[in-house]
Amino acid sequence: MRNILNFIVTLVVFWVGSQYFNQYIAIADTKTLIIASILMFVISFLFSLAVVFSVMLITVGIGCLTTPALILASVVLTPIKLWLLDKYLNGFEVHGFWTYVILTIVLSIFTVKVKSKRDD
């Protein structure tokens, strides 16, 4: 359920950006909007699997090295994903450094987090 909500949030952020801030974000059509959202979702899902795997490796001792690196990389990963979409997806354009920064912040704020349920 969380993954579906994250996909919808990404889709809405891209759509709102292209509709109301079209001088900064240009998306050619609905197909491009859906493909961009799917690609962002897939990359984010793979990254979250890497974080989970890294945290599991803490018990072995290796995760102590990889977990902080992955957390730091998460700050850098969203702009890189946006840049890759801009570069390789025809019809998806992001204009300006600050647009990348603002999109990263907006996507981070509206990403759905699920609280773990613990029975103490």
Side-chain angles (χ1 to χ4, degrees), residues 50-65:
V51 170
V52 167
F53 184 67
S54 176
V55 169
M56 289 173 30
L57 287 176
I58 287 177
T59 58
V60 179
I62 301 170
C64 296
L65 301 173

Side-chain angles (χ1 to χ4, degrees), residues 53-111:
F53 184 67
S54 176
V55 169
M56 289 173 30
L57 287 176
I58 287 177
T59 58
V60 179
I62 301 170
C64 296
L65 301 173
T66 58
T67 302
L70 284 172
I71 291 171
L72 181 62
S74 69
V75 174
V76 177
L77 187 65
T78 302
I80 290 173
K81 291 186 289 187
L82 291 168
W83 177 77
L84 288 171
L85 286 177
D86 182 24
K87 185 161 178 74
Y88 294 110
L89 183 61
N90 293 331
F92 183 88
E93 297 178 10
V94 178
H95 305 286
F97 171 77
W98 290 109
T99 307
Y100 287 104
V101 172
I102 291 169
L103 273 174
T104 300
I105 292 169
V106 169
L107 287 171
S108 298
I109 289 172
F110 291 111
T111 300

Side-chain angles (χ1 to χ4, degrees):
M1 184 67 169
R2 176 187 70 138
N3 293 328
I4 294 169
L5 289 174
N6 284 337
F7 171 74
I8 292 171
V9 164
T10 303
L11 185 81
V12 169
V13 167
F14 284 163
W15 181 79
V16 168
S18 69
Q19 292 297 314
Y20 296 106
F21 304 102
N22 54 6
Q23 66 271 25
Y24 302 110
I25 302 170
I27 299 177
D29 55 4
T30 306
K31 178 183 169 187
T32 305
L33 174 68
I34 292 171
I35 290 172
S37 299
I38 289 172
L39 289 175
M40 284 289 285
F41 170 76
V42 168
I43 295 169
S44 297
F45 183 74
L46 292 175
F47 181 76
S48 66
L49 287 178
V51 170
V52 167
F53 184 67
S54 176
V55 169
M56 289 173 30
L57 287 176
I58 287 177
T59 58
V60 179
I62 301 170
C64 296
L65 301 173
T66 58
T67 302
L70 284 172
I71 291 171
L72 181 62
S74 69
V75 174
V76 177
L77 187 65
T78 302
I80 290 173
K81 291 186 289 187
L82 291 168
W83 177 77
L84 288 171
L85 286 177
D86 182 24
K87 185 161 178 74
Y88 294 110
L89 183 61
N90 293 331
F92 183 88
E93 297 178 10
V94 178
H95 305 286
F97 171 77
W98 290 109
T99 307
Y100 287 104
V101 172
I102 291 169
L103 273 174
T104 300
I105 292 169
V106 169
L107 287 171
S108 298
I109 289 172
F110 291 111
T111 300
V112 178
K113 304 289 183 195
V114 176
K115 292 183 180 180
S116 62
K117 296 178 182 176
R118 293 186 180 180
D119 295 327
D120 292 329

